[in-house]
Amino acid sequence: MGIGMGLNLLLLLAMVATNILSLYHLSSSLNKPVKSSQQVPDHLLHQLNTIRATINHLTHLRSTTTDPDVTSKPPIPSDLLLYAHISPIASACHDHPELLHRYMNYTPFSLCPFDTALSESLILRGCHPLPRRRCFTPTPSKPISSSHKTNNPFPSSFPDSAVSWASYVNCKSFQCLVSKYDGFDMKVESSKFVNPKSDLDLPISQLLQIAKSSSSVIRLGLDVGAGTGTFAARMKLHNVTVLSTSMNLGAPYNEVIALRGIIPLHVPLQQRFPIFDGIVDLVRFSHAVNRWIPTTSMDFLFYDVDRVLRSGGYLWLDHFFSKRLDLEVTYSPSIKKLGYKIVKWATDSKNDSSGIKNDEVYLTALLQKPVLK
């Protein structure tokens, strides 16, 4: 700021000097007879040219110190440079240097910033996996007490002390979450996947019976877009392990999944499943998988499911919604292209305001991957 004021002062003095010289020359010429061939004296021209050059130079300096587009870019965080030498960084990260630099701009060996929202902004833009950092992640000041350590994945409440609320803007307590977000009211969650309310529902007891009747077994599952992990929680009661993918997006979904004794996978829908090939018995798509995903991305998602499913494993689309015409023309052919056995296929109108306006329908489908012979 001081440099800018100094340049402005010098520029002002140079302009004043130019005007004074011009007035001096004008007054001198008025006191003398005017000659048609009279020219400006060389010494005066030299002085004027020098002052003009100074003005131009000062103007350029002033623009480079005040124009944000010309100013030098902030230095790249040192730990980002160090990490880039020892491990590859996802190419999409380089498309968002400002966010990446903010994420890696921290003091090594000290407390990490509370920046869950920033990290998810990068992840959702394809910058995944994120670079590792050399700092201590903030954790709740009070660990879960023995009174709250239970094998019940449907507790009546969670202690507020179990979450670091600094990363969240809209809520600072579980009571607030229950009133503003889906999935945090355990009374509501405990009733899901038990008793069917329509043909679109598939109770877990029926799912397990279907697997048993086909001489199959469900031991390991993957729930895509799991919210707070209610499906995995219900399956846990049947000794089935279900990994749950979820993003926080302003609320502690991953923390609650973990509080229920379930493993959360903090990965977006566009990310390849971090699971080895052909080892999963069941993959479930929740409401998060719907018509808002581009068709081509949906194809890649389906075939990543096929990659992780074992022979005889199940793909369950649970209340997938789309426009009625899109389901008939696009999604049904894409799903059936997998060549899986259709165990259940049920559709119904989506009767909320958006569904009525856009002529949307729900689809619940259970498909079984063929057994290789």
Side-chain angles (χ1 to χ4, degrees):
M1 184 175 179
I3 295 176
M5 292 181 63
L7 289 175
N8 287 337
L9 181 60
L10 288 174
L11 188 59
L12 178 62
L13 290 175
M15 294 177 66
V16 170
T18 303
N19 291 334
I20 290 175
L21 282 174
S22 299
L23 288 171
Y24 169 76
H25 174 66
L26 180 62
S27 61
S28 299
S29 61
L30 290 174
N31 295 329
K32 297 178 181 179
V34 179
K35 296 181 181 179
S36 59
S37 61
Q38 186 177 15
Q39 297 184 1
V40 179
D42 290 340
H43 70 279
L44 186 58
L45 279 175
H46 178 72
Q47 291 175 343
L48 288 172
N49 289 332
T50 300
I51 292 173
R52 286 171 182 161
T54 302
I55 291 174
N56 290 334
H57 181 64
L58 291 173
T59 301
H60 175 71
L61 286 177
R62 180 174 179 271
S63 64
T64 58
T65 56
T66 58
D67 188 353
D69 294 330
V70 183
T71 55
S72 60
K73 296 180 179 180
I76 299 175
S78 58
D79 259 30
L80 178 57
L81 292 173
L82 178 61
Y83 187 80
H85 284 293
I86 62 174
S87 181
I89 296 176
S91 59
C93 297
H94 300 290
D95 296 333
H96 308 281
E98 181 182 351
L99 293 176
L100 180 62
H101 291 183
R102 282 173 53 198
Y103 177 74
M104 294 298 290
N105 188 20
Y106 62 93
T107 303
F109 313 115
S110 63
L111 198 65
C112 296
F114 289 93
D115 57 1
T116 301
L118 173 60
S119 64
E120 290 199 337
S121 294
L122 281 164
I123 290 172
L124 291 172
R125 287 170 170 81
C127 181
H128 190 271
L130 290 171
R132 286 176 171 167
R133 300 194 291 191
R134 297 186 298 171
C135 56
F136 298 100
T137 299
T139 55
S141 57
K142 295 181 180 180
I144 301 176
S145 63
S146 58
S147 61
H148 287 101
K149 289 181 179 178
T150 174
N151 290 326
N152 179 17
F154 295 94
S156 58
S157 64
F158 297 104
D160 290 338
S161 60
V163 172
S164 296
W165 298 98
S167 298
Y168 305 107
V169 176
N170 295 328
C171 282
K172 302 294 182 181
S173 69
F174 279 104
Q175 183 178 0
C176 173
L177 291 173
V178 169
S179 65
K180 291 187 176 182
Y181 295 90
D182 292 334
F184 293 95
D185 188 340
M186 291 298 106
K187 292 181 180 179
V188 174
E189 298 304 299
S190 64
S191 65
K192 295 180 178 179
F193 304 106
V194 179
N195 297 314
K197 297 179 181 179
S198 74
D199 196 36
L200 292 170
D201 296 329
L202 180 60
I204 286 178
S205 59
Q206 184 181 350
L207 171 66
L208 296 177
Q209 182 59 42
I210 289 172
K212 183 179 179 179
S213 63
S214 64
S215 300
S216 185
V217 62
I218 297 178
R219 304 155 301 133
L220 180 62
L222 174 65
D223 192 14
V224 181
T228 56
T230 294
F231 174 67
R234 181 58 64 185
M235 293 293 278
K236 182 181 180 182
L237 299 178
H238 294 271
N239 296 320
V240 178
T241 300
V242 176
L243 305 176
S244 302
T245 75
S246 187
M247 298 292 287
N248 277 13
L249 303 177
Y253 287 99
N254 279 271
E255 291 94 320
V256 170
I257 292 174
L259 287 172
R260 302 174 80 174
I262 301 157
I263 299 175
L265 297 179
H266 190 216
V267 295
L269 289 174
Q270 69 267 33
Q271 178 66 33
R272 184 179 188 265
F273 298 133
I275 297 174
F276 192 69
D277 301 357
I279 61 171
V280 175
D281 303 311
L282 169 70
V283 176
R284 172 183 174 265
F285 284 168
S286 73
H287 295 179
V289 180
N290 56 58
R291 74 179 182 91
W292 298 113
I293 300 176
T295 305
T296 304
S297 298
M298 191 77 77
D299 276 343
F300 278 102
L301 181 59
F302 285 143
Y303 284 92
D304 201 29
V305 169
D306 182 78
R307 178 184 65 80
V308 301
L309 270 181
R310 64 167 176 82
S311 296
Y314 293 93
L315 168 60
W316 177 10
L317 285 82
D318 190 1
H319 285 74
F320 173 88
F321 72 86
S322 70
K323 292 183 178 180
R324 191 182 306 273
L325 181 61
D326 290 341
L327 179 62
E328 297 172 0
V329 175
T330 302
Y331 296 115
S332 289
S334 181
I335 295 168
K336 294 176 180 178
K337 193 189 303 182
L338 292 169
Y340 287 11
K341 176 184 176 182
I342 298 177
V343 180
K344 179 183 177 70
W345 188 280
T347 61
D348 201 356
S349 298
K350 187 169 178 282
N351 292 322
D352 59 8
S353 58
S354 173
I356 295 172
K357 177 182 178 181
N358 297 302
D359 191 25
E360 293 174 335
V361 294
Y362 281 121
L363 165 68
T364 289
L366 183 66
L367 312 166
Q368 186 176 25
K369 183 175 179 176
V371 177
L372 297 178
K373 297 180 180 180

